[in-house]
Coordinates of all heavy atoms in Angstrom, one line a residue:
M688 N 0.8 -1.2 0.0 CA 0.0 0.0 0.0 C 0.9 1.3 0.0 O 1.9 1.3 0.7 CB -0.9 0.0 1.2 CG -1.9 1.1 1.2 SD -3.2 0.8 2.4 CE -2.6 1.8 3.8
K689 N 0.5 2.2 -0.8 CA 1.3 3.4 -0.9 C 1.2 4.2 0.4 O 0.2 4.2 1.1 CB 0.7 4.2 -2.1 CG 1.6 5.3 -2.5 CD 0.9 6.0 -3.8 CE 1.8 7.0 -4.3 NZ 1.1 7.7 -5.4
Q690 N 2.3 4.8 0.8 CA 2.3 5.5 2.0 C 1.4 6.8 1.9 O 1.4 7.5 0.9 CB 3.7 6.0 2.4 CG 4.6 4.8 2.9 CD 4.1 4.3 4.2 OE1 3.1 3.7 4.3 NE2 4.9 4.6 5.2
I691 N 0.6 7.0 2.9 CA -0.3 8.1 3.0 C 0.5 9.3 3.6 O 1.2 9.2 4.5 CB -1.5 7.8 3.9 CG1 -2.2 6.6 3.4 CG2 -2.4 9.0 3.9 CD1 -2.8 6.7 2.0
K692 N 0.3 10.5 2.9 CA 1.0 11.7 3.4 C 0.4 12.1 4.7 O -0.7 11.9 5.0 CB 0.9 12.8 2.4 CG 1.6 12.5 1.1 CD 1.4 13.7 0.1 CE 2.0 13.4 -1.2 NZ 1.7 14.5 -2.2
E693 N 1.3 12.7 5.5 CA 0.9 13.2 6.9 C -0.2 14.3 6.7 O -1.2 14.3 7.5 CB 2.1 13.7 7.6 CG 1.8 14.2 9.1 CD 1.4 13.0 9.9 OE1 1.9 11.9 9.7 OE2 0.7 13.2 10.9
K694 N -0.1 15.1 5.7 CA -1.1 16.1 5.5 C -2.5 15.5 5.2 O -3.5 16.0 5.8 CB -0.7 17.0 4.3 CG -1.7 18.1 4.0 CD -1.3 18.9 2.8 CE -2.3 20.0 2.4 NZ -1.9 20.7 1.2
D695 N -2.6 14.5 4.4 CA -3.9 13.8 4.1 C -4.4 13.1 5.4 O -5.6 13.1 5.6 CB -3.7 12.7 3.0 CG -3.3 13.3 1.7 OD1 -3.6 14.5 1.5 OD2 -2.7 12.7 0.9
R696 N -3.6 12.6 6.2 CA -4.0 11.9 7.5 C -4.6 13.0 8.4 O -5.6 12.8 9.1 CB -2.8 11.2 8.2 CG -3.2 10.4 9.3 CD -2.0 9.7 9.9 NE -1.5 8.7 9.0 CZ -0.5 7.9 9.3 NH1 0.2 8.1 10.4 NH2 -0.1 7.0 8.4
R697 N -3.9 14.2 8.5 CA -4.4 15.3 9.3 C -5.8 15.8 8.8 O -6.7 16.1 9.6 CB -3.4 16.4 9.3 CG -2.2 16.1 10.1 CD -2.3 16.0 11.5 NE -1.1 15.7 12.2 CZ -1.0 15.1 13.3 NH1 -2.0 14.9 14.0 NH2 0.2 14.8 13.8
I698 N -5.9 15.8 7.5 CA -7.2 16.2 7.0 C -8.3 15.3 7.4 O -9.4 15.7 7.7 CB -7.1 16.4 5.4 CG1 -6.3 17.6 5.0 CG2 -8.5 16.5 4.8 CD1 -6.0 17.7 3.6
L699 N -8.1 14.0 7.3 CA -9.0 12.9 7.7 C -9.3 13.1 9.2 O -10.5 12.9 9.6 CB -8.5 11.6 7.3 CG -9.5 10.4 7.5 CD1 -10.8 10.7 6.8 CD2 -8.9 9.1 7.2
E700 N -8.3 13.3 10.0 CA -8.5 13.4 11.4 C -9.4 14.7 11.7 O -10.3 14.7 12.6 CB -7.2 13.6 12.2 CG -6.4 12.3 12.3 CD -5.1 12.5 12.9 OE1 -4.6 13.7 13.1 OE2 -4.4 11.5 13.1
G701 N -9.1 15.8 11.0 CA -10.0 17.0 11.1 C -11.4 16.7 10.7 O -12.3 17.2 11.4
F702 N -11.6 16.0 9.7 CA -12.9 15.7 9.2 C -13.7 14.9 10.3 O -14.9 15.1 10.5 CB -12.9 14.9 7.9 CG -14.2 14.5 7.4 CD1 -15.1 15.5 6.8 CD2 -14.7 13.2 7.4 CE1 -16.3 15.2 6.3 CE2 -15.9 12.8 7.0 CZ -16.8 13.8 6.4
C703 N -13.0 13.9 10.8 CA -13.6 13.1 11.9 C -14.0 13.9 13.1 O -15.0 13.8 13.7 CB -12.6 12.0 12.3 SG -12.4 10.7 11.1
G704 N -13.1 14.9 13.5 CA -13.4 15.8 14.6 C -14.5 16.7 14.3 O -15.4 16.8 15.2
V705 N -14.6 17.3 13.2 CA -15.7 18.2 12.8 C -17.0 17.4 12.8 O -18.1 17.8 13.3 CB -15.5 18.8 11.5 CG1 -16.7 19.5 11.0 CG2 -14.3 19.9 11.6
T706 N -17.0 16.1 12.2 CA -18.2 15.3 12.2 C -18.7 14.9 13.6 O -19.9 15.0 13.9 CB -18.0 14.1 11.3 OG1 -17.4 14.5 10.1 CG2 -19.2 13.3 11.1
A707 N -17.7 14.6 14.4 CA -18.1 14.2 15.8 C -18.7 15.4 16.6 O -19.6 15.2 17.3 CB -16.8 13.7 16.5
I708 N -18.1 16.6 16.4 CA -18.6 17.8 17.1 C -20.0 18.1 16.6 O -20.9 18.4 17.4 CB -17.7 18.9 16.9 CG1 -16.4 18.7 17.8 CG2 -18.3 20.3 17.4 CD1 -15.3 19.7 17.5
A709 N -20.2 18.1 15.3 CA -21.5 18.4 14.7 C -22.6 17.4 15.2 O -23.7 17.7 15.5 CB -21.4 18.3 13.2
T710 N -22.2 16.1 15.2 CA -23.1 15.1 15.7 C -23.5 15.3 17.2 O -24.6 15.2 17.6 CB -22.5 13.6 15.5 OG1 -22.2 13.5 14.1 CG2 -23.5 12.6 15.8
G711 N -22.5 15.6 17.9 CA -22.7 15.9 19.4 C -23.7 17.0 19.6 O -24.5 17.0 20.4
V712 N -23.4 18.1 18.9 CA -24.2 19.3 19.0 C -25.7 19.0 18.6 O -26.6 19.4 19.3 CB -23.6 20.5 18.3 CG1 -24.6 21.7 18.2 CG2 -22.3 21.0 18.9
L713 N -25.8 18.4 17.5 CA -27.2 18.0 17.0 C -27.9 17.1 18.0 O -29.1 17.2 18.1 CB -27.1 17.4 15.6 CG -26.6 18.4 14.5 CD1 -26.5 17.7 13.2 CD2 -27.5 19.6 14.4
C714 N -27.2 16.2 18.5 CA -27.8 15.3 19.5 C -28.3 16.1 20.8 O -29.3 15.8 21.3 CB -26.8 14.2 20.0 SG -26.5 12.9 18.8
I715 N -27.5 17.0 21.2 CA -27.9 17.9 22.4 C -29.2 18.6 22.0 O -30.1 18.7 22.8 CB -26.7 18.8 22.8 CG1 -25.7 17.9 23.4 CG2 -27.2 19.8 23.7 CD1 -24.4 18.7 23.7
L716 N -29.2 19.2 20.8 CA -30.4 20.0 20.4 C -31.6 19.0 20.3 O -32.7 19.4 20.6 CB -30.1 20.6 19.0 CG -29.1 21.8 18.9 CD1 -28.9 22.2 17.5 CD2 -29.6 22.9 19.9
Y717 N -31.4 17.8 19.8 CA -32.5 16.9 19.7 C -33.0 16.5 21.1 O -34.2 16.4 21.4 CB -32.1 15.6 19.0 CG -33.2 14.6 18.8 CD1 -34.1 14.8 17.8 CD2 -33.3 13.5 19.6 CE1 -35.2 13.9 17.6 CE2 -34.3 12.6 19.4 CZ -35.2 12.8 18.4 OH -36.3 11.9 18.2
L718 N -32.1 16.2 22.0 CA -32.5 15.8 23.4 C -33.1 16.9 24.2 O -33.9 16.6 25.1 CB -31.3 15.2 24.1 CG -30.8 13.9 23.6 CD1 -29.5 13.5 24.4 CD2 -31.8 12.8 23.8
L719 N -32.7 18.2 23.9 CA -33.4 19.3 24.6 C -34.7 19.7 24.0 O -35.3 20.7 24.4 CB -32.4 20.5 24.6 CG -31.1 20.3 25.5 CD1 -30.3 21.6 25.3 CD2 -31.5 20.1 26.9
D720 N -35.2 18.9 23.0 CA -36.5 19.1 22.4 C -36.5 20.5 21.6 O -37.6 21.1 21.5 CB -37.6 19.0 23.4 CG -38.9 18.7 22.8 OD1 -38.9 18.3 21.6 OD2 -40.0 19.0 23.4
L721 N -35.4 20.9 21.2 CA -35.4 22.2 20.3 C -35.7 21.9 18.9 O -36.5 22.6 18.2 CB -34.1 22.9 20.4 CG -33.7 23.4 21.8 CD1 -32.3 24.0 21.8 CD2 -34.7 24.4 22.3
L722 N -35.2 20.8 18.4 CA -35.5 20.4 17.0 C -35.8 18.9 17.0 O -35.0 18.1 16.6 CB -34.2 20.7 16.1 CG -33.8 22.1 15.9 CD1 -32.5 22.2 15.3 CD2 -34.9 22.8 15.1
Q723 N -37.0 18.5 17.4 CA -37.2 17.1 17.6 C -38.3 16.7 16.6 O -39.5 16.9 16.7 CB -37.7 16.8 19.0 CG -37.6 15.4 19.4 CD -37.8 15.1 20.8 OE1 -38.9 15.5 21.3 NE2 -36.9 14.6 21.5
N724 N -37.8 16.1 15.5 CA -38.7 15.5 14.5 C -37.9 14.3 13.9 O -36.8 14.1 14.1 CB -39.2 16.5 13.5 CG -38.1 17.1 12.7 OD1 -37.0 16.6 12.5 ND2 -38.3 18.3 12.2
H725 N -38.7 13.6 13.0 CA -38.2 12.4 12.4 C -37.0 12.6 11.5 O -36.0 11.9 11.4 CB -39.3 11.7 11.6 CG -38.9 10.5 10.9 ND1 -38.5 9.3 11.5 CD2 -38.8 10.2 9.6 CE1 -38.1 8.4 10.6 NE2 -38.3 8.9 9.4
W726 N -37.1 13.7 10.7 CA -36.0 14.0 9.7 C -34.7 14.4 10.4 O -33.6 14.1 10.0 CB -36.5 15.1 8.7 CG -37.7 14.6 7.9 CD1 -39.0 15.0 8.1 CD2 -37.6 13.6 6.9 NE1 -39.7 14.3 7.2 CE2 -39.0 13.5 6.4 CE3 -36.6 12.8 6.3 CZ2 -39.3 12.6 5.4 CZ3 -37.0 12.0 5.3 CH2 -38.3 11.8 4.9
F727 N -34.8 15.1 11.5 CA -33.7 15.6 12.2 C -32.9 14.4 12.8 O -31.7 14.3 12.8 CB -34.1 16.5 13.3 CG -32.9 17.3 13.9 CD1 -32.2 18.3 13.2 CD2 -32.5 17.1 15.2 CE1 -31.2 19.0 13.7 CE2 -31.5 17.8 15.7 CZ -30.8 18.8 15.0
L728 N -33.7 13.4 13.3 CA -33.1 12.2 13.9 C -32.4 11.4 12.8 O -31.3 10.9 13.0 CB -34.1 11.4 14.6 CG -33.7 10.1 15.3 CD1 -32.6 10.4 16.4 CD2 -34.8 9.4 15.9
S729 N -33.0 11.3 11.6 CA -32.4 10.6 10.5 C -31.1 11.3 10.1 O -30.2 10.6 9.7 CB -33.4 10.5 9.3 OG -34.5 9.8 9.7
F730 N -31.1 12.6 10.1 CA -29.9 13.3 9.8 C -28.7 13.0 10.8 O -27.6 12.9 10.4 CB -30.1 14.8 9.7 CG -29.0 15.7 9.3 CD1 -28.6 15.6 7.9 CD2 -28.3 16.5 10.2 CE1 -27.5 16.4 7.6 CE2 -27.2 17.2 9.8 CZ -26.8 17.2 8.5
I731 N -29.1 13.0 12.0 CA -28.1 12.6 13.1 C -27.6 11.2 12.8 O -26.4 11.0 13.0 CB -28.7 12.8 14.5 CG1 -29.0 14.3 14.8 CG2 -27.8 12.2 15.5 CD1 -29.8 14.5 16.0
M732 N -28.4 10.3 12.5 CA -28.0 8.9 12.3 C -27.1 8.8 11.1 O -26.2 8.1 11.0 CB -29.2 8.0 12.2 CG -30.1 7.9 13.4 SD -29.4 6.9 14.6 CE -29.7 5.3 14.1
G733 N -27.5 9.6 10.0 CA -26.6 9.7 8.9 C -25.2 10.2 9.1 O -24.2 9.7 8.6
L734 N -25.1 11.2 10.0 CA -23.8 11.7 10.4 C -23.1 10.7 11.2 O -21.8 10.6 11.1 CB -24.0 13.0 11.2 CG -24.2 14.3 10.4 CD1 -24.4 15.5 11.4 CD2 -23.0 14.6 9.5
A735 N -23.8 9.9 12.0 CA -23.1 8.9 12.8 C -22.5 7.8 11.9 O -21.4 7.4 12.1 CB -24.1 8.3 13.8
V736 N -23.2 7.5 10.9 CA -22.7 6.5 9.9 C -21.5 7.1 9.2 O -20.5 6.4 9.1 CB -23.8 6.1 8.9 CG1 -23.2 5.3 7.7 CG2 -24.9 5.3 9.5
L737 N -21.6 8.3 8.8 CA -20.4 9.0 8.1 C -19.2 9.0 9.0 O -18.1 8.8 8.6 CB -20.8 10.3 7.6 CG -19.8 11.1 6.9 CD1 -19.4 10.5 5.6 CD2 -20.3 12.5 6.6
L738 N -19.5 9.4 10.3 CA -18.4 9.4 11.2 C -17.7 8.1 11.4 O -16.4 8.0 11.4 CB -18.9 9.9 12.6 CG -17.9 9.9 13.8 CD1 -16.8 10.8 13.5 CD2 -18.7 10.2 15.1
H739 N -18.4 7.0 11.6 CA -17.9 5.7 11.8 C -17.2 5.1 10.6 O -16.1 4.5 10.7 CB -18.9 4.7 12.4 CG -19.2 5.0 13.8 ND1 -20.2 5.9 14.2 CD2 -18.6 4.5 15.0 CE1 -20.2 6.0 15.5 NE2 -19.3 5.1 16.0
V740 N -17.7 5.5 9.4 CA -17.0 5.1 8.2 C -15.6 5.8 8.0 O -14.6 5.2 7.7 CB -17.9 5.3 6.9 CG1 -17.1 5.1 5.7 CG2 -19.0 4.3 7.0
S741 N -15.6 7.1 8.3 CA -14.4 7.8 8.3 C -13.4 7.4 9.3 O -12.2 7.3 9.1 CB -14.6 9.3 8.3 OG -15.2 9.7 9.5
L742 N -13.9 7.0 10.5 CA -13.1 6.5 11.6 C -12.4 5.2 11.2 O -11.3 4.9 11.4 CB -13.8 6.4 12.9 CG -13.9 7.6 13.7 CD1 -14.8 7.3 15.0 CD2 -12.6 8.1 14.2
S743 N -13.3 4.3 10.5 CA -12.7 3.0 10.1 C -11.6 3.2 9.0 O -10.6 2.5 9.1 CB -13.8 2.1 9.6 OG -14.4 2.7 8.4
L744 N -11.8 4.2 8.2 CA -10.8 4.5 7.2 C -9.5 5.0 7.8 O -8.4 4.6 7.5 CB -11.3 5.5 6.2 CG -10.3 5.9 5.0 CD1 -9.9 4.7 4.2 CD2 -10.9 7.0 4.2
L745 N -9.7 5.9 8.8 CA -8.5 6.4 9.6 C -7.8 5.3 10.3 O -6.6 5.2 10.3 CB -9.0 7.5 10.5 CG -7.9 8.2 11.3 CD1 -7.0 8.9 10.4 CD2 -8.5 9.1 12.4
F746 N -8.5 4.4 11.0 CA -7.9 3.2 11.6 C -7.2 2.3 10.7 O -6.2 1.7 11.0 CB -8.9 2.5 12.5 CG -9.3 3.3 13.7 CD1 -10.6 3.3 14.2 CD2 -8.4 4.1 14.5 CE1 -11.0 4.0 15.3 CE2 -8.8 4.8 15.6 CZ -10.1 4.7 16.0
F747 N -7.8 2.1 9.5 CA -7.2 1.3 8.5 C -5.8 1.8 8.0 O -4.9 1.1 7.8 CB -8.1 1.1 7.3 CG -7.6 0.3 6.2 CD1 -7.4 -1.1 6.3 CD2 -7.1 0.9 5.0 CE1 -6.9 -1.8 5.3 CE2 -6.6 0.1 4.0 CZ -6.5 -1.2 4.1
I748 N -5.8 3.2 7.9 CA -4.6 3.8 7.5 C -3.5 3.7 8.5 O -2.3 3.4 8.2 CB -4.8 5.3 7.1 CG1 -5.6 5.4 5.9 CG2 -3.5 6.1 7.0 CD1 -6.1 6.8 5.6
R749 N -3.9 3.7 9.8 CA -3.0 3.6 10.9 C -2.6 2.1 11.2 O -1.9 1.9 12.1 CB -3.6 4.3 12.1 CG -3.6 5.8 12.1 CD -4.1 6.3 13.4 NE -4.1 7.7 13.4 CZ -4.6 8.5 14.3 NH1 -5.2 7.9 15.3 NH2 -4.6 9.8 14.2
R750 N -3.3 1.2 10.5 CA -3.1 -0.2 10.7 C -3.5 -0.7 12.1 O -2.8 -1.4 12.8 CB -1.6 -0.6 10.4 CG -1.3 -0.5 9.0 CD 0.1 -1.0 8.7 NE 0.4 -1.0 7.3 CZ 1.0 0.0 6.7 NH1 1.5 1.0 7.4 NH2 1.2 -0.1 5.4
R751 N -4.6 -0.2 12.6 CA -5.2 -0.6 13.9 C -6.5 -1.3 13.5 O -7.6 -0.8 13.4 CB -5.5 0.6 14.8 CG -4.3 1.3 15.1 CD -4.5 2.5 16.0 NE -3.3 3.2 16.2 CZ -2.9 3.5 17.4 NH1 -3.6 3.2 18.5 NH2 -1.8 4.2 17.6
H752 N -6.3 -2.7 13.4 CA -7.4 -3.5 12.8 C -8.5 -3.7 13.7 O -9.7 -3.9 13.3 CB -6.8 -4.8 12.2 CG -5.8 -4.6 11.1 ND1 -6.2 -4.1 9.9 CD2 -4.5 -4.7 11.1 CE1 -5.1 -3.9 9.1 NE2 -4.1 -4.3 9.8
L753 N -8.3 -3.9 15.0 CA -9.3 -4.1 16.0 C -10.3 -2.9 16.1 O -11.5 -3.0 16.0 CB -8.8 -4.4 17.4 CG -9.8 -4.7 18.4 CD1 -10.6 -5.9 18.1 CD2 -9.2 -4.8 19.8
Q754 N -9.7 -1.7 16.2 CA -10.5 -0.5 16.2 C -11.2 -0.3 14.9 O -12.4 0.2 14.9 CB -9.7 0.7 16.5 CG -9.2 0.8 18.0 CD -7.7 0.6 18.1 OE1 -7.1 0.2 17.2 NE2 -7.3 0.9 19.3
M755 N -10.6 -0.6 13.8 CA -11.3 -0.5 12.5 C -12.5 -1.4 12.4 O -13.6 -1.1 12.0 CB -10.3 -0.9 11.3 CG -10.9 -0.8 10.0 SD -9.9 -1.6 8.7 CE -10.1 -3.3 9.1
T756 N -12.3 -2.7 12.9 CA -13.4 -3.6 12.9 C -14.6 -3.1 13.8 O -15.8 -3.2 13.4 CB -13.0 -5.0 13.4 OG1 -11.9 -5.4 12.6 CG2 -14.1 -6.0 13.4
L757 N -14.3 -2.5 14.9 CA -15.3 -2.0 15.8 C -16.0 -0.8 15.2 O -17.2 -0.7 15.3 CB -14.7 -1.6 17.2 CG -14.2 -2.8 18.0 CD1 -13.5 -2.2 19.3 CD2 -15.3 -3.7 18.4
A758 N -15.3 0.0 14.5 CA -15.9 1.2 13.8 C -16.8 0.7 12.7 O -17.9 1.3 12.5 CB -14.8 2.1 13.3
V759 N -16.4 -0.3 11.9 CA -17.2 -0.8 10.9 C -18.5 -1.4 11.4 O -19.6 -1.2 10.9 CB -16.4 -1.9 10.0 CG1 -17.3 -2.6 9.1 CG2 -15.4 -1.2 9.2
L760 N -18.4 -2.2 12.5 CA -19.6 -2.7 13.1 C -20.5 -1.7 13.6 O -21.7 -1.8 13.5 CB -19.2 -3.7 14.3 CG -18.5 -5.0 13.9 CD1 -18.1 -5.7 15.1 CD2 -19.4 -5.8 13.1
A761 N -20.0 -0.6 14.2 CA -20.8 0.5 14.7 C -21.5 1.2 13.5 O -22.7 1.6 13.5 CB -20.0 1.5 15.4
A762 N -20.7 1.4 12.4 CA -21.4 2.0 11.2 C -22.5 1.1 10.6 O -23.5 1.6 10.2 CB -20.2 2.2 10.1
V763 N -22.3 -0.2 10.6 CA -23.3 -1.1 10.1 C -24.5 -1.1 11.1 O -25.7 -1.0 10.6 CB -22.8 -2.6 10.0 CG1 -23.9 -3.6 9.8 CG2 -21.7 -2.6 8.9
F764 N -24.3 -1.0 12.4 CA -25.4 -0.9 13.3 C -26.2 0.4 13.1 O -27.4 0.4 13.0 CB -24.8 -0.9 14.8 CG -25.9 -0.6 15.8 CD1 -26.8 -1.6 16.1 CD2 -25.9 0.6 16.5 CE1 -27.8 -1.3 17.1 CE2 -26.9 0.8 17.4 CZ -27.8 -0.1 17.7
Y765 N -25.5 1.6 13.0 CA -26.2 2.8 12.7 C -26.9 2.8 11.4 O -28.0 3.4 11.3 CB -25.3 4.0 12.9 CG -24.9 4.3 14.3 CD1 -23.6 4.4 14.8 CD2 -25.9 4.6 15.2 CE1 -23.3 4.7 16.0 CE2 -25.6 4.9 16.6 CZ -24.3 4.9 16.9 OH -23.9 5.2 18.2
A766 N -26.3 2.2 10.4 CA -26.9 2.2 9.1 C -28.2 1.3 9.2 O -29.3 1.6 8.6 CB -26.0 1.7 8.1
G767 N -28.1 0.2 9.9 CA -29.3 -0.6 10.1 C -30.4 0.1 10.8 O -31.6 0.0 10.4
C768 N -30.1 0.8 11.9 CA -31.1 1.6 12.6 C -31.7 2.6 11.7 O -32.9 2.9 11.8 CB -30.4 2.2 13.8 SG -30.0 1.1 15.1
L769 N -30.8 3.3 10.9 CA -31.3 4.3 10.0 C -32.3 3.8 9.0 O -33.4 4.3 8.8 CB -30.2 5.0 9.2 CG -30.5 6.1 8.3 CD1 -31.1 7.3 9.1 CD2 -29.2 6.6 7.6
I770 N -32.0 2.6 8.5 CA -32.9 1.9 7.5 C -34.2 1.5 8.2 O -35.3 1.6 7.7 CB -32.2 0.8 6.8 CG1 -31.1 1.4 5.9 CG2 -33.2 -0.1 6.0 CD1 -30.2 0.3 5.3
Y771 N -34.0 0.9 9.4 CA -35.2 0.4 10.1 C -36.2 1.4 10.5 O -37.4 1.3 10.4 CB -34.7 -0.4 11.3 CG -35.8 -1.0 12.2 CD1 -36.5 -2.1 11.7 CD2 -36.2 -0.4 13.3 CE1 -37.5 -2.6 12.4 CE2 -37.3 -0.9 14.1 CZ -37.9 -2.0 13.7 OH -38.9 -2.6 14.4
F772 N -35.7 2.6 10.9 CA -36.6 3.7 11.4 C -37.0 4.6 10.3 O -37.8 5.5 10.6 CB -35.8 4.5 12.5 CG -35.7 3.7 13.8 CD1 -34.4 3.5 14.3 CD2 -36.8 3.2 14.4 CE1 -34.2 2.8 15.5 CE2 -36.6 2.5 15.6 CZ -35.3 2.3 16.1
M773 N -36.6 4.3 9.1 CA -37.1 5.2 8.0 C -38.5 4.7 7.7 O -39.5 5.0 7.4 CB -36.3 5.1 6.7 CG -35.0 5.8 6.8 SD -35.3 7.5 6.9 CE -34.7 8.1 5.4

């Protein structure tokens, strides 16, 4: 596998951080009943899937296979919940 540049790795880490913060803020807004509807919850679940897929890619690049497997399982779980609750 071709070596990944440090700049690209930092960009992926930043994307994971921004996605995690956005998901957390939206979850707080949902739990405080400020924006509580079906579409908002689906958007939060979609962000959770995106977060776990990007985390699994980051762990794959770092060669941490156990964490990558757990992130993939979490992404599959959230995707299944998203499909089930639609």
